Amino acid sequence: MFSDLIIRGRLSLFQFNLEIYTKYFTLPILDGVFNHVGKNSRYFNAGHLYGEQTGAANDKNSSYYEWFNFKHYPDQYDCWWGVDDLPTVNKDNPSYQQFIYGERGSVLTKWNDLGVDGWRLDVADELPDDFLREIRHNLDRYDDRILIGEVWEDASSKVSYGHRRPYVSGDNLYGTMNYPLRQWVISLLNGHCDLIKAGEDLLTLVENYPRNFLLDCLNNLGTHDTERILTVLNQSVPLVKIAFALLFNLPGIPCVYYGDEAGVEGGKDPDNRRYFPWGHENAELQKAVHYWADIRQECESLKEGQTGIMIAGNEVLGLIRYTADSATLLLVNRENQYAQVRDLQFMHVPASLQQAIEKRVAGLRMAPFTTRFTELNVISIMADKDN
């Protein structure tokens, strides 16, 4: 009875927080971990936290027993990447499938009915295609729900366990955590590729993804699974400011890992999970993130636009986003020296927009480690015959 009161109390608190967040802040997305459970969870209960007879590890007659594959009962079982704290669940088990995505009483239905706005799926590569489709089917019964998968590679060509994954086919994930885009930003700013190659690599990724999938990808400069962006860029605040400029100008949904905007450093997990530096935030980075967040909110081309590239003498990169009647241009000088905007080369940019940009940027000189943002009003550029 006491545990039921705790659960009801937590649920009421969640509903209260949900109402506040949706009214004043943002739309909540839950993290769905459906490939494995903790060994001390109610379902496995190796440590008897839920009683001596509860859970698959204590009772072969448990309703959860068939969720797991025991090699030697009860101490040897399939687990995620050999980590015995995380027993792997059998996603082909009908009982487990109904528990996760059934239309009535399932995990997804419960939280979707409460009003969450979507799900991020942990280790999506470990979830079978049909399992992902059924999750999507559950979400499609609601308005405006999103489904993001944790996929580290190009989702259009991902192969896991010898199987080509249909992530971009339109019947499972809406988008992925865009780690390839993070790597593109890091390679660009660390000088690991020339600007022409950088432009080609970005447009390859853009062209590999269906438009809606690309725009629904969750872009990031860092997560709980990566090194901090300030650490990766060798504690260079100017380069991190450029990274944030790119994040908010690239196609997809920008996501800021807590503390990156405040200058938190950190290597590999768990060093990347340091406390937020209350009272010691990097004001320069915070100001930059606020600026770019406001810009993105105001510019429709940054949310919905096509993507093009401009290279100026292999010294300045131009990231172009454009719709039928508007466009934006972000110029980037990643070098520790002045750069002249000249000898322009364009990739995937309509001819009329090229002309407008040439008039706007001709003769510009950019200081070291800087960006320059420009909005252009160009009528009917998508109708240009050269597009």
Side-chain angles (χ1 to χ4, degrees):
M1 180 178 177
F2 181 68
S3 63
D4 289 340
L5 289 173
I6 293 175
I7 291 172
R8 287 200 295 270
R10 288 175 176 172
L11 189 57
S12 297
L13 181 60
F14 176 85
Q15 290 173 304
F16 173 76
N17 287 336
L18 185 66
E19 182 178 345
I20 295 299
Y21 267 78
T22 54
K23 185 175 181 179
Y24 295 106
F25 298 107
T26 185
L27 305 179
I29 297 175
L30 298 186
D31 192 18
V33 185
F34 301 145
N35 175 68
H36 49 267
V37 301
K39 72 175 183 179
N40 290 319
S41 66
R42 177 186 301 274
Y43 319 106
F44 203 79
N45 196 29
H48 309 126
L49 297 181
Y50 296 91
E52 297 288 334
Q53 301 300 318
T54 300
N58 299 302
D59 182 5
K60 289 186 177 181
N61 293 318
S62 167
S63 58
Y64 305 128
Y65 176 75
E66 292 187 353
W67 287 13
F68 305 95
N69 178 29
F70 288 94
K71 300 174 183 177
H72 181 274
Y73 189 81
D75 57 349
Q76 294 182 19
Y77 41 85
D78 287 345
C79 49
W80 183 70
W81 284 68
V83 180
D84 61 9
D85 281 346
L86 301 174
T88 301
V89 184
N90 176 14
K91 276 75 68 180
D92 294 325
N93 180 271
S95 169
Y96 183 66
Q97 293 172 349
Q98 289 303 305
F99 178 78
I100 295 299
Y101 53 67
E103 289 192 9
R104 295 184 178 181
S106 68
V107 171
L108 290 178
T109 298
K110 172 182 177 176
W111 296 104
N112 289 337
D113 285 346
L114 284 172
V116 302
D117 288 273
W119 296 80
R120 176 262 188 191
L121 296 181
D122 187 63
V123 293
D125 293 340
E126 310 286 340
L127 304 177
D129 294 339
D130 287 343
F131 196 88
L132 291 176
R133 291 189 184 100
E134 291 299 329
I135 291 176
R136 170 69 176 266
H137 178 71
N138 183 293
L139 264 65
D140 283 347
R141 296 188 295 118
Y142 303 84
D143 294 332
D144 298 326
R145 297 297 191 273
I146 195 167
L147 185 63
I148 302 293
E150 181 195 9
V151 179
W152 285 70
E153 299 83 8
D154 183 333
S156 69
S157 57
K158 179 61 189 285
V159 175
S160 63
Y161 300 100
H163 173 62
R164 179 76 171 263
R165 304 306 300 268
Y167 291 137
V168 302
S169 63
D171 64 353
N172 54 97
L173 300 178
Y174 279 89
T176 59
M177 298 180 69
N178 209 342
Y179 283 107
L181 208 60
R182 172 183 182 269
Q183 190 55 51
W184 180 83
V185 171
I186 291 171
S187 295
L188 172 70
L189 297 183
N190 275 337
H192 294 162
C193 60
D194 65 47
L195 295 185
I196 292 178
K197 177 67 163 54
E200 292 172 345
D201 288 346
L202 176 60
L203 292 181
T204 295
L205 183 64
V206 168
E207 292 167 2
N208 282 351
Y209 286 179
R211 174 174 167 75
N212 287 341
F213 191 94
L214 175 71
L215 296 179
D216 282 340
C217 280
L218 194 66
N219 299 340
N220 67 83
L221 299 177
T223 70
H224 64 287
D225 289 320
T226 70
E227 296 177 83
R228 291 281 184 173
I229 188 63
L230 184 58
T231 299
V232 173
L233 296 179
N234 301 309
Q235 293 76 43
S236 172
V237 170
L239 286 181
V240 174
K241 288 172 63 178
I242 295 176
F244 276 121
L246 290 166
L247 176 69
F248 284 93
N249 279 265
L250 286 163
I253 305 168
C255 176
V256 178
Y257 181 43
Y258 85 95
D260 280 350
E261 81 287 5
V264 173
E265 297 183 49
K268 295 180 179 179
D269 191 7
D271 188 43
N272 56 1
R273 306 189 190 211
R274 299 183 191 183
Y275 295 121
F276 190 88
W278 296 110
H280 303 281
E281 301 92 337
N282 185 302
E284 189 177 355
L285 287 178
Q286 286 187 318
K287 181 179 179 181
V289 172
H290 281 295
Y291 171 79
W292 289 116
D294 289 342
I295 290 290
R296 185 178 177 88
Q297 283 293 98
E298 296 168 1
C299 295
E300 196 64 26
S301 58
L302 294 181
K303 303 174 188 176
E304 303 287 342
Q306 302 284 343
T307 304
I309 293 292
M310 184 200 80
I311 307 297
N314 206 30
E315 294 182 343
V316 174
L317 174 77
L319 175 60
I320 302 162
R321 302 292 306 283
Y322 58 93
T323 63
D325 55 9
S326 66
T328 62
L329 169 66
L330 176 71
L331 297 177
V332 173
N333 178 14
R334 65 178 180 179
E335 303 294 343
N336 190 21
Q337 59 186 19
Y338 281 87
Q340 197 78 24
V341 182
R342 59 188 177 188
D343 302 327
L344 306 185
Q345 302 179 58
F346 292 92
M347 305 177 190
H348 195 259
V349 181
S352 57
L353 180 54
Q354 292 182 29
Q355 295 168 5
I357 291 174
E358 287 171 347
K359 292 178 182 178
R360 183 67 65 91
V361 304
L364 287 179
R365 188 167 180 256
M366 295 188 64
F369 296 139
T370 57
T371 60
R372 186 184 182 104
F373 181 80
T374 303
E375 292 185 69
L376 304 103
N377 294 316
V378 183
I379 305 301
S380 300
I381 59 175
M382 289 296 292
D384 190 284
K385 65 180 181 180
D386 294 323
N387 182 36

